[in-house]
Amino acid sequence: MKRLYILMALLALSLTSITSFAQVPFAQLEQRMGTPTLAPMLEQATPAVVNISVEGVRVTRQRIPDAFRHFFGQQEQTREQPFQGLGSGVIIDAQEGYVVTNNHVVEGASDITVTLNDGRTFSATILGTDPESDIALLKLDEPSNLKELPLANSDELRVGDFAIAIGNPFGLGQTVTSGIVSALGRGGFAGGRLENYIQTDAAINRGNSGGALVDLNGRLIGINTAILGSTGNIGIGFAIPSNMMKNLVDQILEFGEVRRGILGVRGRDLDQQLADALGIDRTQGAWVSEVIQDSAAQQAGLQAGDVIVSINGTQLHSMTELAAKVGAAGAGREVRLGIIRDGRELSLNVKLSEAETTVTAATMHPALRGATLQNNGGNGLRVTGIEVKSPAEQIGLAEGDVIVAVNRRPVNSVTELRSLLERSKGVTALTITRGNRQLYLLLPN
Amino acid sequence: MAKQHASLLTQYLIKPALLGFIVAALVLAVLPLVQQPTESSRVATASDLVSFADAVELAAPAVVNIYTTQSSHPNAHLQGPPTLRLGSGVIMNAKGFILTARHVVSNVDQIRVALQDGRVFGAQLIGSDSLTDLAVLRIAADNLAVIPRNDSYTPRVGDVVLAIGNPYNIGQTVTQGIISATGRNNPDNAYSEFIRMDAAINEGNSGGALVNSRGELVGINSGRYLSEQGEELTGISFSVAYHLAERVMEQIIAEGSVTRGYFGVEARHAFHPELNIPGVVIERIEPEGPAHLAGLRPGDFLVRINGVELKSLNQALDMVAATRPGTSIRIDFVRQQQYLTTEAVIQHLRVPEE
């Protein structure tokens, strides 16, 4: 009898352990009143998703057609339009008050207010943005008592995994919608942009931008960014994977800007026909048709005809995905590429070089209008173009000049230049290197 | 002694028994959770989260993208560049037979099928059926991924379903929802059995697969519900039930089309007021139709077809539709409280082609 008692108790114990074991697959799909629910997970996650409201002035420029220049002069016509906007954001560092959102939510904003779901409001400043990937990093003023979202490894996602979107659609207030991962590595919608989206059928609408896509454990898997469909949600939404976001945010924190990495290859997606021709037994990857001279790829030993099948151990689906992952990894970073060459698998480490990004200087200072700038490998900023009779030419700036300092403070990146110009009061002095000469140029206020 | 006995009883009998009950209750409470992952072990993933990834992995390779071109406009003088259209399809067997929606491939000149492994094939239209909006294509290809099927699966309202297709040609997309209704739930179509569901469906999804959480085929996606104003509504989509789709496919493969029997009546299901038995009341009769030629009249109460009692209108419809044209059926009916019997020769159901 006693033994039976113990046996039963043991059985009960083992069963309870089975219970917890059995519930593991349903980790956060907890049972409440016998019904699976996301509520406990969401109670943890939603405080980390914020509403963002912005105000500012957007400058739209209109080039005057040649025929009318005679009447209006050379100046471009600019129109300043005040705007207000709404979006969402995700707290990724509660201590520092870092909030990640979409660039298009905060672009041009002079005034950013972040509202938590407990009603508290903070003003925020932009630490850095990356229009090409549509990521922006904000910092809350005097952060306290915040909750952050832990990050999931978005490379481990599979089509069919649950995905829950948290955001502020139409400014209605915080809203949670659920769906699944519909596809991965989606891109190619807008040329020249870095796109490696997670596609989801969780309802995403205007105002959800910058909000969180989380897994069943309440970990961040993506930043909701875009939808297909002009009228609203049709079950096709896109989110920037958390790994890509993390890479970009790390760069913004380190350099104040995104220093996009570049591999230096051309090619196209692998498909069955190409795979048959190459005699390999897989159909997903990026086929290299050309390796650009003196590029990172060439230095690492990549060859035309190689098929890149993985990056840092994660399977690669397409050329677009490769470009997005390399771009987001950042200049100077090393990535490990899995390659198939002549039917053999090998692995190459590539130190990425920096992609050239050009900036129109007019967005920084009116007197620089007409100049285009580019990072000069961490040594000032190179002027890559000057429009004839533009304000930039009138102050004496010339193509090939390197801007090395503002008011004698060294400047090495576009972001540094922008913040120095913003802080500068009165007349601003630029230090320029032209050939082997150094000179000063004055920017009128 | 008696008291001690009682405490002994508590200790050795009641307690274990109670514990047994608790354990039993626990087992009952836990079992659904324990069994779910084992029963549908392919649904649960190695990771610690619920996911449909394994179902997707099984089913998705068997769903193809369909691209069609239509070069000639019905009005010759309006001829322009070929129109491209988009759809999806499901590989049903290793011989290369593909089920799709009829509206994806009707009135087109060229059909191309793109597999998920990157291969592209020209496809032959074997046949189609406008009443179920289904069509069968064939491609000459080896090493095909075939959609998983389970003949014993019965769709139920509330089952999780995944729609797989190629909306707007952005690439293969999986959307999730539940079964909202089963059976003949489309008021506009009496012949087709639909699965109604709320998974997001868009242009290009038509002809694609609806699968359950084990990746097994539930239906062939047909399209979204159109409101009376002609708007497409989100959250209400139709998928032709797999069993029906398979029957239609087999007939199309065997004969090139689907032949249905025609009886020539409009009728409704009813209970006979005096006899209190179920049956079908004729409301209108097609002149010179099979029922008319058999001597039936409006108001006649049909009780049996070929000896089988009629329990619903759909049953009667199915029995007639399944009868080969030219075959006669025996009909037992009641007219003015009199049991009568007649024979009707079934005709061919003509469907207006668009």
Side-chain angles (χ1 to χ4, degrees):
Chain A
M1 274 301 214
K2 189 98 179 176
R3 191 172 279 169
L4 182 73
Y5 188 107
I6 291 163
L7 206 94
M8 279 188 150
L10 259 172
L11 194 69
L13 241 161
S14 67
L15 264 164
T16 42
S17 67
I18 286 175
T19 332
S20 55
F21 173 75
Q23 275 176 343
V24 166
F26 290 79
Q28 298 298 327
L29 239 157
E30 284 180 34
Q31 305 277 315
R32 178 174 286 184
M33 311 285 284
T35 316
T37 173
L38 296 172
M41 176 279 278
L42 288 170
E43 276 160 21
Q44 299 297 311
T46 48
V49 183
V50 301
N51 296 349
I52 296 178
S53 61
V54 297
E55 274 177 48
V57 176
R58 253 173 212 154
V59 183
T60 50
R61 249 170 305 146
Q62 279 178 315
R63 284 194 71 104
I64 296 160
D66 287 340
F68 299 110
R69 292 244 169 123
H70 180 67
F71 304 105
F72 295 105
Q74 289 293 339
Q75 292 266 344
E76 286 175 318
Q77 222 176 26
T78 57
R79 262 216 314 225
E80 295 190 343
Q81 247 174 344
F83 74 97
Q84 292 182 320
L86 277 175
S88 306
V90 182
I91 302 174
I92 53 164
D93 188 329
Q95 209 67 43
E96 297 291 331
Y98 293 148
V99 169
V100 66
T101 183
N102 283 134
N103 174 61
H104 76 255
V105 170
V106 294
E107 195 170 26
S110 50
D111 215 358
I112 302 174
T113 310
V114 167
T115 309
L116 308 191
N117 82 339
D118 63 10
R120 287 185 291 158
T121 58
F122 295 85
S123 56
T125 47
I126 300 175
L127 287 187
T129 64
D130 182 39
E132 279 176 66
S133 59
D134 205 358
I135 281 286
L137 183 66
L138 314 180
K139 185 175 166 46
L140 303 189
D141 294 348
E142 296 167 36
S144 73
N145 237 339
L146 300 179
K147 274 205 162 178
E148 65 190 29
L149 272 190
L151 302 191
N153 178 0
S154 57
D155 284 338
E156 284 176 0
L157 283 175
R158 298 166 73 200
V159 175
D161 287 350
F162 276 101
I164 296 98
I166 312 170
N168 179 28
F170 305 118
L172 287 171
Q174 198 173 69
T175 300
V176 180
T177 50
S178 86
I180 59 166
V181 173
S182 296
L184 291 165
R186 202 62 103 203
F189 298 108
R193 293 187 59 145
L194 290 191
E195 295 175 322
N196 172 30
Y197 292 126
I198 301 166
Q199 187 187 326
T200 181
D201 62 352
I204 294 176
N205 280 293
R206 202 153 41 78
N208 270 107
S209 282
L213 193 68
V214 301
D215 64 13
L216 289 181
N217 277 332
R219 294 174 305 189
L220 187 69
I221 57 177
I223 299 296
N224 299 323
T225 297
I227 58 169
L228 204 68
S230 51
T231 50
N233 176 65
I234 56 166
I236 304 177
F238 300 103
I240 297 165
S242 57
N243 287 8
M244 180 166 163
M245 178 277 289
K246 175 85 168 48
N247 274 335
L248 297 165
V249 164
D250 284 350
Q251 292 175 60
I252 290 173
L253 287 173
E254 197 175 339
F255 310 114
E257 65 181 345
V258 171
R259 296 189 174 169
R260 202 168 312 299
I262 195 164
L263 193 58
V265 296
R266 291 199 181 97
R268 68 174 175 97
D269 298 348
L270 187 66
D271 59 19
Q272 181 74 44
Q273 265 103 351
L274 198 54
D276 285 346
L278 298 169
I280 55 178
D281 61 351
R282 45 172 101 209
T283 52
Q284 287 189 325
W287 176 67
V288 177
S289 64
E290 184 188 348
V291 176
I292 289 154
Q293 283 278 320
D294 303 322
S295 66
Q298 196 191 37
Q299 277 160 24
L302 224 72
Q303 295 174 8
D306 286 351
V307 177
I308 305 170
V309 292
S310 71
I311 177 165
N312 292 336
T314 310
Q315 204 206 326
L316 197 66
H317 303 90
S318 66
M319 205 73 192
T320 324
E321 191 185 349
L322 176 69
K325 286 194 162 172
V326 161
R333 299 286 169 101
E334 201 165 82
V335 294
R336 187 162 44 83
L337 299 178
I339 282 166
I340 298 182
R341 177 182 297 166
D342 304 325
R344 284 181 306 113
E345 292 196 29
L346 55 138
S347 165
L348 286 180
N349 288 326
V350 185
K351 193 170 184 226
L352 301 174
S353 41
E354 186 168 355
E356 291 182 349
T357 44
T358 12
V359 186
T360 316
T363 59
M364 295 186 228
H365 197 287
L368 287 177
R369 186 176 298 142
T372 46
L373 306 174
Q374 207 173 77
N375 285 345
N376 192 33
N379 180 24
L381 289 157
R382 181 171 294 277
V383 178
T384 54
I386 289 283
E387 272 177 47
V388 181
K389 290 189 181 164
S390 65
E393 192 190 40
Q394 275 159 22
I395 61 161
L397 209 60
E399 198 174 320
D401 286 355
V402 176
I403 304 171
V404 291
V406 175
N407 292 342
R408 304 175 65 176
R409 298 179 70 161
V411 59
N412 288 315
S413 72
V414 170
T415 319
E416 280 174 25
L417 178 65
R418 179 173 284 133
S419 73
L420 284 174
L421 287 175
E422 270 168 13
R423 268 183 276 157
S424 162
K425 291 185 177 73
V427 173
T428 307
L430 294 185
T431 316
I432 304 287
T433 321
R434 182 176 293 166
N436 48 16
R437 287 187 298 147
Q438 198 162 65
L439 50 140
Y440 285 92
L441 297 176
L442 294 183
L443 299 186
N445 195 14
Chain B
M1 188 67 196
K3 206 167 185 183
Q4 202 182 351
H5 210 102
S7 76
L8 263 172
L9 225 135
T10 337
Q11 192 173 347
Y12 290 115
L13 212 78
I14 298 175
K15 262 193 183 170
L18 216 94
L19 213 92
F21 271 121
I22 294 168
V23 169
L26 246 162
V27 170
L28 278 176
V30 169
L31 217 59
L33 276 172
V34 178
Q35 280 205 333
Q36 218 157 327
T38 45
E39 257 180 15
S40 51
S41 54
R42 284 178 290 176
V43 179
T45 58
S47 78
D48 60 346
L49 294 178
V50 195
S51 172
F52 301 116
D54 291 327
V56 171
E57 215 157 87
L58 285 170
V63 184
V64 301
N65 303 352
I66 295 178
Y67 303 90
T68 65
T69 50
Q70 188 181 19
S71 57
S72 50
H73 197 275
N75 296 349
H77 64 275
L78 283 176
Q79 250 184 20
T83 347
L84 288 164
R85 274 198 289 164
L86 195 62
S88 302
V90 184
I91 302 174
M92 297 298 285
N93 59 37
K95 291 178 196 153
F97 285 107
I98 292 170
L99 259 177
T100 183
R102 183 178 183 273
H103 71 264
V104 169
V105 293
S106 63
N107 302 317
V108 298
D109 299 319
Q110 200 193 27
I111 305 168
R112 282 186 309 138
V113 166
L115 310 189
Q116 296 313 318
D117 63 16
R119 289 186 287 172
V120 181
F121 296 94
Q124 183 196 354
L125 177 64
I126 303 295
S128 66
D129 177 43
S130 56
L131 281 179
T132 50
D133 188 29
L134 288 171
V136 179
L137 308 178
R138 189 173 193 182
I139 55 171
D142 301 324
N143 297 323
L144 291 173
V146 174
I147 194 84
R149 272 172 285 173
N150 176 4
D151 284 323
S152 61
Y153 169 74
T154 315
R156 292 187 309 164
V157 173
D159 283 0
V160 169
V161 282
L162 307 168
I164 311 175
N166 179 27
Y168 303 112
N169 200 23
I170 61 170
Q172 195 173 66
T173 291
V174 185
T175 51
Q176 178 245 322
I178 61 167
I179 294 179
S180 311
T182 59
R184 279 174 232 206
N185 49 57
N186 186 342
D188 301 333
N189 193 331
Y191 283 93
S192 193
E193 190 182 333
F194 284 107
I195 308 282
R196 201 163 80 206
M197 42 95 185
D198 64 351
I201 290 283
N202 285 291
E203 198 192 323
N205 269 107
S206 287
L210 191 71
V211 302
N212 63 20
S213 54
R214 287 192 295 259
E216 298 157 353
L217 189 63
V218 174
I220 304 293
N221 295 329
S222 195
R224 291 217 299 239
Y225 182 68
L226 290 178
S227 74
E228 278 163 24
Q229 287 77 35
E231 306 169 277
E232 287 197 11
L233 300 180
T234 344
I236 306 179
S237 303
F238 292 102
S239 186
V240 181
Y242 149 62
H243 287 288
L244 173 66
E246 183 154 64
R247 279 207 306 277
V248 167
M249 178 180 76
E250 277 163 8
Q251 221 182 358
I252 287 175
I253 291 173
E255 299 169 22
S257 62
V258 180
T259 310
R260 290 186 181 82
Y262 173 69
F263 190 47
V265 298
E266 271 176 29
R268 64 179 165 83
H269 174 249
F271 266 88
H272 196 281
E274 283 100 33
L275 303 167
N276 200 24
I277 48 165
V280 166
V281 184
I282 296 180
E283 296 193 310
R284 215 180 62 80
I285 268 203
E286 182 68 25
E288 304 304 313
H292 184 239
L293 294 175
L296 290 167
R297 294 185 217 146
D300 286 350
F301 187 87
L302 311 190
V303 186
R304 279 183 291 269
I305 292 178
N306 287 341
V308 180
E309 283 179 14
L310 301 178
K311 295 203 173 69
S312 73
L313 187 63
N314 285 336
Q315 182 200 0
L317 194 74
D318 283 348
M319 290 183 73
V320 168
T323 306
R324 296 247 127 219
T327 324
S328 57
I329 54 171
R330 199 179 78 248
I331 290 153
D332 299 323
F333 65 102
V334 180
R335 182 184 293 166
Q336 290 156 357
Q337 285 158 5
Q338 258 197 308
Y339 273 99
L340 299 167
T341 298
T342 184
E343 296 258 321
V345 180
I346 293 301
Q347 294 176 3
H348 197 294
L349 177 72
R350 307 271 166 213
V351 183
E353 297 280 318
E354 74 267 33

